[in-house]
């Protein structure tokens, strides 16, 4: 019997596991590769610290490893700084010292035996049923050597391995990487993570679409004009040039996060919220995607990018991308999906906007304002405190028939369980420890996406410059015309 989505099965934050909680988790040793990197600092260490004090997790010990030569003491000091700077939940001194006691560090240069010794020592503290979770927070090029190290260290039994995106660089390298990993781990042990799928708001798309009778009947090409998945970021490289320069916005964000989220918007109802059924529906969306044509893509690079430390003076890496995607199936043929993301843009937002087909307008008097603010929309905000808004035309009070755009909005902050929101990585780490693959990506899905991207990767259009603090190069307007980008919002979200 496959695992089901476990949302309702989790104990409340702050509570201790009770006997009634399903499937008590085995204790875990977590080996964190890339432990001094940006992701570990911003998300993984703060997330693990929170999970541990919220008692969601069983007994855990964490072994950090990276190329830097640090002692365990130095690593703990870095971890403390990371948790204090980036953690959404602050730790008391007592909570910190509990967490810190579980942290150790082994430099990669110490070799597989040293790692194996550290893992066995950690297991000694945790008892007989201990499991291993290897978290590979490393770039695609380093993934193979980490897998080889785990094999040489004999750390494969009782283990699961979480692999970060991007998974490979193109179709050939993804296939090669999958084959290589399969020589050591079987598929049930592999968790390819895409943290956007762990966001509360992304999961809410499934609830919204499939738990209500209202929207699903109109969720298709007959009623929806187009969809926008728009994730501009105001932040820049943040000392990540070594990762970003060979990666760029398409591989960092689009072939990963934006397309995974798109599959939640576009998929057919799965037979159950369980891994096989969800993956199959997502993979059908990817297989129905038309190959991305380079003429449907705008690549941009912010002015000043080439002067950043670690960036080549003639770099062709895109820091911005906007594209049109077509899903050629019975539900979506003719309804384009517009995707956009970039660094150093005017605002940080993460929205999915569904634009409905416009109504006939001639019955309204001229100058009434009908249609003047674009089509009616349903908008999902993928922020941690997720929001949904339905905007529509309504009558402005008073004489005559003047229309204006109004909206109904909902925020998870309004619910009593607002405090239960788990950060995406927290949720997914917990799911991986439970062995629940529902929100992880599959080899087949990733390979289809690389396959549909191959024309673009072989023949990318030249990067166009844009000024930091803007919405990208001017060509984005031609890409979407005669429609218009939904952002920037004409009205702020209501607080
Ligand atoms: C990461 C990308 O996967 O996602 C980053 O590598 C990006 O470049 C980040 O900034 C965005 O994630 P979130 O959850 O902060 O929106």
């Amino acid at each position: 019997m496959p695992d089901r989505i476990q949302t309702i099965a989790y104990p409340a934050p702050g509570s201790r596991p009770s006997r009634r909680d399903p499937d008590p988790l085995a204790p875990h040793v977590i080996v964190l590769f890339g432990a001094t990197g940006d992701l570990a600092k911003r998300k993984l260490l703060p997330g693990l610290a929170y999970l541990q004090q919220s008692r969601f997790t069983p007994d855990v010990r964490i072994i950090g490893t990276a190329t830097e030569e640090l002692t365990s003491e130095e690593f703990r000091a870095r971890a403390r700084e990371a948790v204090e700077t980036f953690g959404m939940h602050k730790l008391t001194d007592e909570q910190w010292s509990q967490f810190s006691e579980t942290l150790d560090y082994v430099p990669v240069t110490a070799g597989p035996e040293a790692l194996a010794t550290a893992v066995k020592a950690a297991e000694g503290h945790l008892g007989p049923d201990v499991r291993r979770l290897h978290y590979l927070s490393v770039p695609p090029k380093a993934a193979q050597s980490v897998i080889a190290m785990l094999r040489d260290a004999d750390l494969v039994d009782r283990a699961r391995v979480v692999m970060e995106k991007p998974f490979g660089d193109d179709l050939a390298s993804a296939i090669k990487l999958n084959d290589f990993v399969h020589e050591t781990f079987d598929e049930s042990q592999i968790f390819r993570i895409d943290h956007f799928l762990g966001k509360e708001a992304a999961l809410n798309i499934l609830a919204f679409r499939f738990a209500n009778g209202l929207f699903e009947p109109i969720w298709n090409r007959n009623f929806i004009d187009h969809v926008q998945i728009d994730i501009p970021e105001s932040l820049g490289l943040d000392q990540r040039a070594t990762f970003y320069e060979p990666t760029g916005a398409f591989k960092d964000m689009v072939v990963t996060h934006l397309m995974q989220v798109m599959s939640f918007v576009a998929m057919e109802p799965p037979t159950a919220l369980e891994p096989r059924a969800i993956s199959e529906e997502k993979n059908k969306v990817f297989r129905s995607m038309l190959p991305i044509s380079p003429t449907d893509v705008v690549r941009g690079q912010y002015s000043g990018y080439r002067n950043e430390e670690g960036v080549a003076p003639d770099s062709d890496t895109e820091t911005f991308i906007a594209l049109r995607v077509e899903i050629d199936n019975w539900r979506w043929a003719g309804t384009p999906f517009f995707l956009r993301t970039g660094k150093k843009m005017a605002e940080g937002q993460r929205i999915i906007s569904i634009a409905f087909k416009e109504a006939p307008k001639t019955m309204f008097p001229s100058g009434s304002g009908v249609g003047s603010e674009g089509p009616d929309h349903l908008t999902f905000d993928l922020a941690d405190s997720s929001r949904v808004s339905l905007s529509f035309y309504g009558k402005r009070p008073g004489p005559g028939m003047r229309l204006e755009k109004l909206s109904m909005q909902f925020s998870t902050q309004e619910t009593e369980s607002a405090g239960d929101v788990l950060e995406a990585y927290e949720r997914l780490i917990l799911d991986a420890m439970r062995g629940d693959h529902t929100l992880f990506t599959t080899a087949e899905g990733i390979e289809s996406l690389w396959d549909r991207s191959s024309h673009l990767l072989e023949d990318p259009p030249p990067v166009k410059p844009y000024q930091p603090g803007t919405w990208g190069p001017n060509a984005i307007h031609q890409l979407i015309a005669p429609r218009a980008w939904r952002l920037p919002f004409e009205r702020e979200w209501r607080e």
Side-chain angles (χ1 to χ4, degrees):
M1 171 84 179
D3 290 341
R4 290 183 175 248
I5 276 191
Q6 306 263 352
T7 325
I8 44 173
Y10 288 162
S15 68
R16 288 173 178 278
S18 80
R19 266 184 228 193
R20 283 182 299 124
D21 294 332
D23 309 335
L25 277 173
H28 272 74
V29 173
I30 300 180
V31 184
L32 181 54
F33 291 86
T36 56
D38 185 72
L39 181 64
K41 195 169 67 182
R42 282 175 186 277
K43 302 284 186 180
L44 304 177
L45 290 164
L48 286 166
Y50 173 64
L51 282 179
Q52 193 184 64
Q53 47 122 346
S54 71
R55 309 284 173 192
F56 279 131
T57 17
D59 281 346
V60 163
R61 294 189 76 93
I62 298 161
I63 299 174
T65 175
T67 45
E68 277 182 75
E69 299 288 337
L70 298 181
T71 62
S72 289
E73 254 338 290
E74 286 166 333
F75 176 59
R76 287 183 200 121
R78 294 234 194 147
R80 180 160 206 174
E81 197 186 326
V83 176
E84 278 169 8
T85 316
F86 298 107
M88 294 200 297
H89 314 268
K90 300 295 165 209
L91 300 192
T92 62
D93 284 345
E94 194 194 335
Q95 287 167 333
W96 166 255
S97 75
Q98 276 169 8
F99 180 60
S100 134
E101 276 167 25
T102 67
L103 296 178
D104 274 304
Y105 186 82
V106 180
V108 170
T109 47
E113 288 90 52
L115 183 63
T117 310
V119 170
K120 297 213 168 103
E123 287 177 345
H125 291 280
L126 295 172
D129 299 322
V130 62
R131 299 197 62 111
R132 299 157 176 170
L133 187 75
H134 305 304
Y135 197 117
L136 275 58
S137 174
V138 296
K141 296 250 172 315
Q144 290 205 15
S145 58
V146 173
I147 297 287
M149 181 164 187
L150 289 170
R151 187 190 54 214
D152 296 346
D154 196 15
L155 293 174
V156 176
D157 282 355
R158 296 177 277 116
R160 297 189 176 110
V161 53
V162 180
M163 300 190 68
E164 265 296 334
K165 55 98 241 196
F167 196 87
D169 282 318
D170 56 12
L171 178 59
S173 61
I175 293 176
K176 201 165 143 218
L177 182 56
N178 275 321
D179 289 348
F180 184 83
V181 181
H182 283 146
E183 283 170 21
T184 305
F185 291 96
D186 59 61
E187 187 61 24
S188 67
Q189 294 176 287
I190 305 169
F191 292 74
R192 298 174 193 81
I193 196 167
D194 188 299
H195 81 276
F196 268 56
L197 296 185
K199 287 182 187 278
E200 196 74 42
L203 286 167
N204 201 28
I205 297 170
L206 299 183
F208 190 90
R209 281 190 59 193
F210 301 131
N212 299 296
L214 182 57
F215 288 104
E216 198 48 29
I218 55 167
W219 207 260
N220 58 53
R221 58 204 286 258
N222 299 324
F223 298 94
I224 293 179
D225 177 74
H226 74 279
V227 177
Q228 295 182 25
I229 301 181
D230 204 358
I231 321 246
E233 297 185 285
S234 52
L235 52 86
L237 281 200
D238 251 357
Q239 290 142 19
R240 291 171 76 217
T242 330
F243 165 77
Y244 202 82
E245 178 61 353
T247 308
F250 182 75
K251 294 179 187 173
D252 184 33
M253 295 290 288
V254 176
V255 76
T256 51
H257 304 324
L258 274 71
M259 287 183 174
Q260 291 295 334
V261 168
M262 182 182 84
S263 71
F264 273 13
V265 176
M267 74 183 183
E268 296 302 312
T271 49
L273 293 183
E274 53 91 6
R276 202 158 27 131
I278 291 209
S279 296
E280 180 47 21
E281 296 309 334
K282 282 170 56 190
N283 293 348
K284 275 157 64 182
V285 171
F286 299 146
R287 291 201 296 270
S288 302
M289 265 171 66
L290 295 180
I292 298 165
S293 161
T295 53
D296 284 340
V297 178
V298 175
R299 290 171 73 238
Q301 189 185 72
Y302 65 77
S303 303
Y305 174 73
R306 293 178 185 181
N307 303 330
E308 302 267 10
E309 205 184 318
V311 171
D314 59 349
S315 169
D316 183 51
T317 300
E318 78 282 351
T319 60
F320 169 95
I321 189 159
L323 65 158
R324 175 189 176 111
V325 173
E326 303 274 352
I327 301 172
D328 191 28
N329 63 15
W330 280 87
R331 191 184 278 264
W332 294 115
T335 297
F337 284 66
F338 295 99
L339 276 44
R340 171 169 72 168
T341 186
K343 300 285 184 201
K344 289 218 178 174
M345 292 180 60
E347 286 173 28
Q349 292 271 2
R350 309 175 189 112
I351 65 149
I352 300 172
S353 178
I354 316 280
F356 293 101
K357 291 206 164 153
E358 293 194 42
K361 301 187 186 73
T362 46
M363 65 179 282
F364 289 96
S366 65
S368 68
V370 66
S372 59
E373 293 176 71
D376 34 325
H377 284 100
L378 179 66
T379 305
F380 294 89
D381 182 355
L382 297 181
D384 288 330
S385 56
S386 59
R387 293 180 282 207
V388 185
S389 152
L390 181 63
S391 44
F392 55 91
Y393 285 90
K395 183 186 169 303
R396 182 182 292 174
M401 182 52 104
R402 285 283 303 159
L403 299 165
E404 61 186 347
K405 202 101 175 259
L406 307 169
S407 71
M408 292 192 283
Q409 297 189 5
F410 163 77
S411 161
T412 46
Q413 288 304 314
E414 294 160 23
T415 65
E416 279 179 6
S417 35
D420 293 358
V421 172
L422 284 179
E423 205 278 329
Y425 283 97
E426 293 165 3
R427 187 210 157 95
L428 293 174
I429 289 172
L430 209 48
D431 283 359
M433 283 198 275
R434 287 174 180 266
D436 183 348
H437 275 93
T438 312
L439 299 175
F440 291 83
T441 59
T442 59
E444 187 200 330
I446 289 174
E447 288 171 13
S448 301
L449 287 175
W450 284 125
D451 176 55
R452 301 303 181 276
S453 311
S454 55
H455 295 331
L456 174 65
L457 297 176
E458 281 155 22
D459 186 19
V463 287
K464 295 184 192 310
Y466 63 97
Q467 287 308 312
T470 64
W471 292 94
N474 282 335
I476 54 168
H477 302 298
Q478 286 128 16
L479 179 77
I480 203 169
R483 303 162 175 103
W485 291 99
R486 186 77 201 289
L487 290 174
F489 282 133
E490 62 287 359
R491 288 176 301 274
E492 291 295 309
W493 289 94
R494 278 200 287 278
E495 287 310 320

